[in-house]
Amino acid sequence: MGDEMISKNASLVGKRIKMMRLARGLRQKYLAERLEISQANMSNIESGRCAVTIDHLIILREIFACSMNDFFVDIEKSGDKFSDKGYSVEDLFKIVAKLKG
């Protein structure tokens, strides 16, 4: 696996973390404090400029009350889209966040 693939995967996981955070109404600063990292580092994770560590994913899994798989859903499929509807995981989290108000 090349660096380009790692960067793409880091970006996809980071986007999922951001969407999960927004869907739950949490601030980036809150997650940064829970992970014991700077808010700038949290921003870099969410934007895919920096990969999240396994230890941080374990903490995030507890915060979001989700499974580890939720961070990696369909990551190996190109386009990161659900084939039958064309919605990405990020699209679905945005919809949920809007419904929550």
Side-chain angles (χ1 to χ4, degrees):
M1 187 180 314
D3 289 340
E4 184 178 314
M5 182 62 80
I6 292 170
S7 295
K8 179 182 177 189
N9 290 342
S11 179
L12 290 172
V13 172
K15 286 179 185 177
R16 293 217 177 93
I17 291 168
K18 181 177 181 178
M19 291 302 119
M20 291 172 146
R21 175 179 64 77
L22 293 173
R24 287 163 178 79
L26 301 174
R27 295 194 176 271
Q28 201 175 58
K29 182 178 180 180
Y30 171 78
L31 288 186
E33 288 171 355
R34 293 285 308 269
L35 298 178
E36 298 181 353
I37 61 175
S38 69
Q39 187 171 352
N41 194 7
M42 189 71 235
S43 175
N44 287 335
I45 289 170
E46 289 185 353
S47 67
R49 291 185 298 265
C50 175
V52 65
T53 67
I54 296 294
D55 290 337
H56 288 154
L57 282 176
I58 291 169
I59 295 167
L60 291 169
R61 178 183 58 89
E62 293 171 7
I63 293 169
F64 297 140
C66 67
S67 75
M68 290 295 272
N69 290 340
D70 292 336
F71 297 111
F72 304 102
V73 172
D74 293 335
I75 209 163
E76 60 278 340
K77 293 183 180 178
S78 64
D80 195 37
K81 296 283 183 184
F82 292 100
S83 58
D84 60 339
K85 299 292 182 192
Y87 295 115
S88 70
V89 172
E90 288 77 24
D91 293 335
L92 296 175
F93 276 116
K94 287 177 186 176
I95 292 166
V96 169
K98 285 184 180 186
L99 290 173
K100 286 187 173 184

